Amino acid sequence: QMALSCPPGWVGSPSVRCDDSMVSLTSGTCLKHCDAGAVPMQVGDTIGAIPYPALNHTGNQTAPCPQELFSGEVLLRCFDGTVAVDPASGPCVRHCPAGAISSAGRPNDRISARRNVSHPQLAHGNETVLPCQSGFYTYPEDLMYVIGKEDQFVYQAPFDELSRTMDYGVAINEVKRVLSVAIDDGRVYVVGASDHRIYMQPLTHVHPTSDWGSPISDTMECTFLTVGSGWLWAIKVSDRLLYKVRQPGLKHHHLWTKLTDQPKNISAVAVFGDIIYAVVPEENRVYKHEGLDPFSGWTGPVSGPFTMAMTGVFVADGMIYAIASDSIYSQHVHNMSTSTTWRGPLGNEQKLSGLAIAFVNRTTVEPVWNPGFIGTLHLRCTDGQVEKLSGDCRMHCAAGAVISNHVELQYSNMSHASNVTVTCPWPSHTGNLLTHCDDGRTYYEGSCGTNCPATTVVSNDAIIPIPFLNHSDDQYAYQNISCPDWWLGNVSVRCFMGELRWFGYCFKSCVQDEWRSRSAVVAYPQMNHTDTFTGPCVALFPQLSYTGSVSFVCRDGEVVSQGGCYTDCTAGTLRQNGVPVNYGLITTGTVESSACEPDIMYGSVDIECARGYVEIVGGTCGTPCWAGTYVSAFTRDWDLAMPDIAHQGDAWVTCPRQVSGQLHFTCSNRVLNVINGTCGERCMGRAVSVYGASFLSPMLDHLHGHVQPCQPPYTGSVDLMCEYGSLNITSHCQQGCFAGNATLPGGALVFYPDMVSGDRTRLDCPEGFVGYVELECGDIYPFVHEGACHAHCPASRFFEGIWDVEHELIYHSDTVEIPCKDGYDGYVILRCMSGTVSLTKGGCFKRCANGRFVVRMGITMRHARLAHEEVTPSMPCPDGYVGSVRLLCSNGDLSISEGGCPAHCTGGIIDGARYNSMLHLENSSLMCPIAGTLNVSCYDGIVQHTAGKCLNNCEAGVLQDAHGARIMYPAIDHLGNVTGACSSGKSGFVQVVCNDTVASLAPLPGQRCFSHCVEGRNLTTSDGTVIEAPPLDHGQQTPVKCPASPGSAVVRCSDGRLFIASGNCGPANCAAGELEVGEAMVQHPEFNDGTESDAPSACPAGFLGEATFRCGGGNVSVLNVSLRYPAIVGLEAMNFSVDNVSAGFLAEHDDEYFELCGCCVPPDPPPGSEPIPGVDLRKIIFWAVGLAGVGGVSSLVAGLWVMRPTKLRDICKRKKNSRVQAEPGEHDKQMQLEDLKKADEAMVTYKPNQETDVVVPRSSKFREPCEGAVVAW
């Protein structure tokens, strides 16, 4: 075998072996080096290539990714002539092309296209912060015309939908394919795709199948066409340069002007004022030229580059629109720069190749604001995808309207998160709507409330004018309206949604007046409610006197008085016990003392004046007790010399000398009375021996005493008292006390020394007690004279009710304060008094645990733990109630300390009147459904009727009149009336009226219920005949046949009473029979005297006529004979019978008859009448034409005659009188017309065949019989 070397460009050490002339490779190989080149790569849809130099086999090279499309670097490795990217090396990540992303993070979001934010091309990893789309104005009438790239047809869509998801619909013309389109002044210009010629049609004539006709320019072939500033601009096919022409010169090639100095080829232009914008396709940038003429070359570029090819441009309303990558992009012309980012793509994804916009007149059409957005988006490019890191676009709000209470209010444009206050239209409504904008959505706070017009309310008869009130949502925003003059108080009113709500009260004043009592008067002025006045009593007559005053207070129109006028007592004389007493003026209620006559010795009396009446209330008059001798048992029957004592006077008189003492005398009308004192015998001295003493008593006067000291060893004294000569002796002598122990009240034991009776000793209390005692020795035993020993209170437990406390030792009269045990609040002060513990102050009270307290049904309030006597803070009542509540804890029990939760009133119906929700204590006036008003007040959830009344209709029913008749009536409106019908055997009608559900009878004159005659009875006629009257209804009558004589009597019922209304019985009536009428005998019925037959009697067969008869005094006579013969053509008199026709027919032909003198023989039928010549009305037309011609000729002649020359005017000086005469035959024609008018009234005469025939002309009826009358014919 043999080792070989690889050729240049290869590497390796191959070994070969020769075996039987065959060379074969035994080991090794040659691997190729890599030549310089580029490695293709693709990430997603992005394709690129990475260049690299020549590399040896297994060599590697780090290479950057293509800068324009990617970011990063990769490791390239060469292996056997092939370069590949090392998978372990970093990847190439894509840059992000220019585009749009929505605030939701979706790229080019078609759903929320308005929130799209256009972004420029971003390198991988780069971040940018972009503002959200701003707002702009559009005109809805603006139209956009675009050219579809696929079919080259023109499409139309509203221009204001350019930035939204839009649909171009179908092509407006599907006949010609075009390259460019332009709109100007109602005309559409297009460039044909096949011939590059310019075509034009009026915009209104363009439809899908319209024919564009011939080109309007026979020389210009172009690829692009636009209109601007009065010129038509075109890019010519041959040189790709821009030409312009005025529209009138389109067909003339020499009028097309080429713009000179055009160093760049352009593909599209747009004209905005005097600025021309052009697209340079080689750079995909926009250039411009300022000025239409002369042309000095393009300046720029004025826009950033597109990575896609730009195929069109158009300027509209300050915005420049470009077609790039078959979609529309835009930016403002004033913001154009090489760094400005184009906004887009706009519209839908349909591929476009051309664009034109037709604007409406900006001076006559209002633009529509398309609100923009606020905020920024923080974007980052990551491997070809733009992602939103943060931020959001919040939409502003376009001007619009909100509706509150049927009122539409306009608001202006608003920024997001801002608000604007719109005011409701005054004076119909009040309020402000705070309108908010939140991300394009508007909402408002507040409302427009209907105002209340000026009106009046009535409170306690006071008419209170209520001014115009604005609506208020504040349920406490009441306005106080003072009551009118001489009413006190006010009403509180508020207007809520057009409804007046009020509460309050007006108190009436009290009119000026006088208060009288007997002959005293007190005048008081006019006073307002609660005013007071006090007036003195004034006598009406000078000889009278009154004391007192009256206080008046006005209470709601009523005067309440207090006090009075009391009659004084004028001077006069009284007699008491027959003794006169003179007195002066005494005011009522006082007491005066007056002496009895003739002087004070006869006594005095106290006179009281009681409202004009004097009365002795004290003292008397009587005879004095003159000096003399008095003897009685009081003087022990000894004579006593008495002094003078006035009546009702008194005196102390010493007893007679035989006795001792004094007597107290009073005198009453010469009668002496002893009221005090005694007379008694003296006590003579004598020896006295008592306990502790022996002595000789002295002489003592009656009721006198003596004190004799005790003899030692006794102490004290002996008391002596003399009564009526008897000596009373009382010994108070006592012995001394020997030392010893004494138990004191309270249990203390003390030791005392020896003491003489009456002596005292002070001792301290023993242990366990406090204080001292002073013992006095009595008779052998001591007693406590002063002081005491009080025991202390040992430690123990003190009980009081349901609680107890423990206390330590309490010294007597001391107090100790001890807190209560757990679960109780407070403290106690205990006092020890002589070993007994008592409560002097305080107490132990249970606490209230936290929990819920039921204020009232439906309201439960939570409260915290409360100490005894602790009050919660004020807690507001929930919705639907008013006020607040404070809770008090009292010894473990909760109660409402103050406040309350009265409920508001929900809407409802009271007495048929509907009311809305009302606040507590609020008043409202309600309109009743039928009539009347209700004043209602809301008190604690209950609507109460305070005044007014709802008046209602009356239901159908039955009333009974004073006679017991029942009247039925239907339902009646309030204050209405109907006619009720009598029932239950009664007839008649009575008017029924309704007043607030109460129906009552209100009969009109003559209206009442009448009774029927339910039972027949016998009646007597004037001639004494008794007839039997049948039962009849009220107002009905019937004839009753006389029982034994011709005729009948008419019986009538009136209100239950049967009576004979007419007719009589007797021989004066006419019996039935027959009477000769003319040549015929005609039968007649019976009928009463003085009456006519009820119906005419027909003449017998063969005669004409009907006879009417009269009865007089029993004799029958013919009243008249008539022939009823309707004037009907062809009707023969003999063929007509009244019995064969209806009553209606007879009534229709009531006046068509003949009056006859008797039953007559029918005449022969008359011959037919001669034909009446008719009038040829065609002559009228001929005459009219002829007369018109004659009139025209006559007018011509008259005109010529009037205008004749002057020389001809004197030819005929004499005038000839005109004579008008009817033409021959004209009179006959007039007569024929008159005959024609009278044809219907013509009577056909006939000649009688007999001399007895009589013709009765048509005349008025007569009631008397016709005797021998002959009417000539």
Side-chain angles (χ1 to χ4, degrees), residues 569-574 581-585 607:
C569 299
T570 55
T573 301
L574 288 174
V581 179
N582 296 323
Y583 60 89
L585 175 67
I607 302 175

Side-chain angles (χ1 to χ4, degrees), residues 464 475 606 1008 1118 1228:
I464 307 165
Q475 62 179 356
D606 294 330
R1008 54 170 292 193
V1118 178
D1228 296 336

Side-chain angles (χ1 to χ4, degrees), residues 5 344 354 460 467 507 711 759 798 806 827 835 926 947 1007 1011 1013 1019 1047 1163 1170 1218 1230 1255 1258:
S5 297
N460 196 21
F507 297 92
Q711 295 175 339
D759 287 350
F798 178 79
E806 295 180 352
Y827 65 94
L926 309 178
Q1007 286 187 338
S1011 299
C1013 301
L1019 299 176
E1170 295 293 335
S1218 64
Q1230 294 295 329
V1255 177
R1258 184 175 182 177

Side-chain angles (χ1 to χ4, degrees), residues 714-790:
Y714 293 90
T715 59
S717 63
V718 178
D719 295 335
L720 302 179
M721 174 61 64
C722 179
E723 292 183 2
Y724 298 106
S726 176
L727 184 65
N728 294 324
I729 303 171
T730 302
S731 175
H732 299 289
C733 296
Q734 295 177 334
Q735 294 189 40
C737 301
F738 295 101
N741 293 319
T743 300
L744 303 179
L749 183 66
V750 295
F751 177 80
Y752 61 89
D754 292 335
M755 292 185 294
V756 177
S757 178
D759 287 350
R760 298 174 182 172
T761 182
R762 181 184 178 96
L763 303 174
D764 292 329
C765 295
E767 185 178 356
F769 295 84
V770 67
Y772 73 94
V773 292
E774 187 177 63
L775 298 182
E776 181 179 347
C777 179
D779 189 13
I780 303 176
Y781 299 104
F783 61 91
V784 177
H785 174 265
E786 183 180 89
C789 287
H790 301 284

Side-chain angles (χ1 to χ4, degrees), residues 627-892:
T629 300
Y630 175 80
V631 178
S632 71
F634 289 103
T635 62
R636 310 298 284 180
D637 297 325
W638 299 100
D639 292 338
L640 178 64
M642 296 294 297
D644 291 339
I645 302 176
H647 173 68
Q648 290 186 337
D650 67 297
W652 282 94
V653 180
T654 303
C655 294
R657 60 181 181 83
Q658 292 86 355
V659 291
S660 62
Q662 285 186 323
L663 294 176
H664 189 190
F665 289 92
T666 63
C667 175
S668 176
N669 197 17
R670 294 187 300 175
V671 177
L672 286 172
N673 293 304
V674 177
I675 60 174
N676 202 355
T678 57
C679 291
E681 292 80 3
R682 297 180 179 88
C683 296
M684 299 297 155
R686 66 183 179 88
V688 177
S689 178
V690 294
Y691 178 77
S694 296
F695 58 91
L696 182 64
S697 67
M699 185 181 67
L700 296 174
D701 286 340
H702 171 63
L703 294 182
H704 280 215
H706 173 74
V707 177
Q708 178 66 37
C710 297
Q711 295 175 339
Y714 293 90
T715 59
S717 63
V718 178
D719 295 335
L720 302 179
M721 174 61 64
C722 179
E723 292 183 2
Y724 298 106
S726 176
L727 184 65
N728 294 324
I729 303 171
T730 302
S731 175
H732 299 289
C733 296
Q734 295 177 334
Q735 294 189 40
C737 301
F738 295 101
N741 293 319
T743 300
L744 303 179
L749 183 66
V750 295
F751 177 80
Y752 61 89
D754 292 335
M755 292 185 294
V756 177
S757 178
D759 287 350
R760 298 174 182 172
T761 182
R762 181 184 178 96
L763 303 174
D764 292 329
C765 295
E767 185 178 356
F769 295 84
V770 67
Y772 73 94
V773 292
E774 187 177 63
L775 298 182
E776 181 179 347
C777 179
D779 189 13
I780 303 176
Y781 299 104
F783 61 91
V784 177
H785 174 265
E786 183 180 89
C789 287
H790 301 284
H792 299 308
C793 298
S796 181
R797 185 184 299 273
F798 178 79
F799 293 90
E800 180 74 21
I802 62 173
W803 56 268
D804 63 272
V805 293
E806 295 180 352
H807 63 85
E808 302 295 333
L809 172 68
I810 308 174
Y811 291 105
H812 166 73
S813 75
D814 277 0
T815 59
V816 61
E817 181 177 325
I818 302 175
C820 297
K821 296 191 303 183
D822 290 343
Y824 292 85
D825 287 320
Y827 65 94
V828 295
I829 296 178
L830 303 180
R831 180 185 295 275
C832 176
M833 292 299 295
S834 300
T836 301
V837 177
S838 63
L839 176 68
T840 61
K841 188 177 181 181
C844 292
F845 305 96
K846 293 178 66 176
R847 301 188 185 101
C848 298
N850 61 327
R852 299 176 181 269
F853 179 77
V854 178
V855 177
R856 59 178 294 168
M857 185 67 69
I859 300 180
T860 302
M861 293 186 175
R862 296 180 60 88
H863 62 88
R865 180 175 177 268
L866 297 176
H868 172 68
E869 298 294 340
E870 183 179 0
V871 179
T872 64
S874 181
M875 296 181 289
C877 299
D879 291 342
Y881 300 86
V882 66
S884 59
V885 170
R886 299 185 70 187
L887 302 180
L888 169 67
C889 176
S890 179
N891 198 20

Side-chain angles (χ1 to χ4, degrees), residues 254-322:
H254 62 278
L255 294 179
W256 281 92
T257 303
K258 180 175 71 173
L259 276 67
T260 61
D261 193 13
Q262 300 183 46
K264 294 181 181 293
N265 291 330
I266 58 177
S267 60
V269 295
V271 180
F272 180 62
D274 59 351
I275 301 177
I276 306 173
Y277 295 92
V279 174
V280 177
E282 289 79 4
E283 302 178 22
N284 288 325
R285 291 176 182 267
V286 177
Y287 285 75
K288 74 175 182 178
H289 178 268
E290 296 187 5
L292 303 181
D293 196 27
F295 186 78
S296 57
W298 302 107
T299 59
V302 295
S303 72
F306 268 101
T307 58
M308 303 79 73
M310 296 181 63
T311 59
V313 67
F314 193 89
V315 178
D317 204 21
M319 299 291 292
I320 184 167
Y321 299 89

